Amino acid sequence: MLTAFRWLIRIATGMTVLGVVAVLLVYYILSRSLIDYDEDFTLRGISAPVEIVRNNDSVPHIFGKTDEDVFFALGFAHAQDRLWQMTMLRRTVQGRLSELFGPATVQVDELMRRYDLYGLALQSVEAQDEPTRRALEAYSAGVNAWIGEVNAGARGRGAPEFFLFEPEISAWAPADSIAILKLMALQLSGALQSEVLRARVSLLLSPQRLADILPDDPGQGVAALPDYASLVPGVAPLVAPMDFAGGPFSPVADPGMAGASNAWAAMPGRSAAGGSLLANDPHLGLTAPTIWYLARLELQSGGVIGGTIPGTPLVLVGRSDALGWGLTTAYVDDQDVVIEELNPDNPEEYRTPDGWARFESRQSIIRVKNADPVTLTLRWSRNGPILPGGHYNLGTITPAGHVAAISWTALSGADTSVSGAMALMKARSIPEALEAGRKVIAPAQNVMLADGSGIAMQVMGAIPARDAAHPSKGRLPALGSDPAVGFKGILPYEDNPRFRDPASGLLGNTNNKTVDRPFPNHVSFDWGDTQRIQRWLALMKAREVHTRESFIEAQLDTVNPTARALLPLIGADLWFTGEAAPDGTPERLRQRALILLAEWNGEMNEHLPEPLIAEAWLRALQKRLIQDELGAMADSFTHISPVFIERVYRNVGGASIWCDVIQSAAVESCTDIARIALDDALVELTERYGPNLESWRWGDAHQAVHDHPVLGEVPILKYFVNIRQSTSGGDDTLMRGVTRGEGPEPYQNVHAAGYRGVYDFADPDSSVFITATGQSGHPLSRHYDDLGELWRRGEYIPMSLDPELARAAAVGVMVLTPAN
């Protein structure tokens, strides 16, 4: 017995030792791809030595003799820190994910092949101006130089993920960088999804009720749309919910997640220090690592610093010593769904206003890991690529004998957007920056500008020209045989909205409506915000002059204007009414919740229960209002529509009829529905967080979900690669954190400001910025998530162009020396 016990101890000890050795071995192998920021390299492709000084936050400050040397070093640094992320972006836009992930990503690959964004990027290389082509070539050479070092030096394959998937990395090319910008255009575009959703809902509702649930911005009159069935006959109503996600790694966003941002600026006269101010925080889906990478480039035109996207040689948001620029999504209606009628005698032809025309077609083969290849026949009509019904739910709005084509400004083989962004980055004044925007095609953005003397906001990007007789004004799919349907070119750049040095001294955009122009010069019918802009206006009016700190305060503001406006409205007959109820009853729980909400100021603080109660109540209320009319289709409306709820409770155009449940004999009032919805919400929250509602905490539900796009669902590994943080804010706060809106964790923060920057031109080196995770894409690096905690707390790091400040306490200085 004793002998057996001793052997058990020996076996257990041996297994423990082997386990420790295995862990150490795995750590050693994976750590081989960690970067030594003090290591020097001798490389081909540069004309003189280049310094990459990574400051204490691992932000590279790059100093070289020529611009091409600097872009080479940026490519080298991007590849060192984010090689896996870059290759994944490139595979996505090329439609080659299935080579790694098998059948799960075939649908995404198919969509990307049909759009042919990568083919269009290849064509667009020659359209760039000469400085941009040189920059793209130098940047590509820098990326390839690091790939060569990985291959030659046993550097852990360049990133830990390459041990789990195909380690082969093809050389980087200028088209790859152009293609990534086109991929961003797809991620930021939501007009197509909105058209399909509006068409589906119009088959279930009258035009008046459609105007309630999918309202225009209340700043303009609501025009009743034609019924979709009258535009495209033969489509049956369907109540099944819609899913735009399209599978893992899909760049297609659900409506409301396509793109957002905040940007505002003050002229020197509205600044306490006498210099222009600019704040910007672009909003995108949260990932680990974040899509943003901070960098400083010392170019011949001067130093620039800000946010880059690995894979491109551009500071997309940032500043120089003379100019600052920020971005918000312009919500330009740059996509149309065109329904093409097939020739019944020849399905390779479609009807045009001039008769039958033949589709352009070619074949493409998708290689699929552990499965047979998939052969696609890609077809284009004169209006754009043909997408099968499985994408964007197009099959539900396409009648038999027809197919759907997609018109989109980004589908250009002469896309000079990279040249425009390069010229913007090098501009030294607002007039130069405005001229640079002439080259931008897609994505269309509001570009906020500030220099030493003034401010401006310009829509940069192509706005399609449409026929004034378009039957749906581009808001619903329409038949391509109608001569009024389809893009009629691009509007002149001079027609794009521009605002310069306003009398108020302030400019701001929160994706709100910027112009109220009639169709076809309307820019858009759909805007991304009606709420945050109200809070911004209140904060700006509260001060005669502003400072860097007041702009930071506004950027981090968590007061919810939706809750402030709607709670008194929906609870008008519930506050302080009824007799005291016994503890433990639903009535008592409701009274406790109402008491908390009555004393709440609308601040979406992570430590409070009120934000959680308010969000749950409004979600339950909207579902109660629409579920009986829309059935399962109600699940497609995953986020609160403040304008819709306000229309209902103010009975705008008879909208209070939504409160009556049409399937019941009784006539329910809006007060009844508000009370029932509050009880629904409290039952849901009690089951999840317990009966003590005073101890509920918004941050427990509203966690920022920075998940690794590939390894985030892998057991055990997910605990090392995912970053979760309790956060304040919400869908409609200036410190925006958009909730998931569906599934078992509907309040998770999945779409937020991955970058924040505030620039003060009275003292440019006092400017600050931050990203949501860290600079490195390596989970074992301390720079994988070191900026994330600062971001969560609303802190920033210095955004200085001072070389000595960068070198002070730098984590490393890397010197690249030319091999020749």
Side-chain angles (χ1 to χ4, degrees), residues 10-90:
R10 291 169 182 167
I11 291 171
T13 302
M15 292 181 66
T16 301
V17 170
L18 287 174
V20 171
V21 170
V23 168
L24 291 175
L25 181 61
V26 169
Y27 178 85
Y28 171 76
I29 293 172
L30 297 182
S31 66
R32 292 288 295 165
S33 51
L34 285 171
I35 306 303
D36 178 0
Y37 294 136
D38 273 317
E39 185 177 5
D40 297 335
F41 295 89
T42 301
L43 304 168
R44 297 185 180 278
I46 50 177
S47 64
V50 184
E51 261 193 328
I52 305 176
V53 179
R54 285 181 168 89
N55 70 9
N56 193 49
D57 299 298
S58 195
V59 178
H61 291 243
I62 301 175
F63 305 92
K65 180 180 179 181
T66 67
D67 285 357
E68 287 73 27
D69 288 349
V70 171
F71 288 124
F72 178 101
L74 178 64
F76 195 80
H78 275 169
Q80 284 186 314
D81 286 321
R82 301 284 188 88
L83 185 60
W84 171 257
Q85 185 182 50
M86 293 168 62
T87 57
M88 283 297 296
L89 290 171
R90 178 172 64 176

Side-chain angles (χ1 to χ4, degrees), residues 114-134:
R114 293 190 186 280
Y115 274 135
D116 195 26
L117 295 182
Y118 192 77
L120 295 168
L122 286 168
Q123 297 174 36
S124 297
V125 172
E126 293 305 314
Q128 311 308 314
D129 57 38
E130 183 60 28
T132 301
R133 279 201 300 273
R134 291 200 304 269

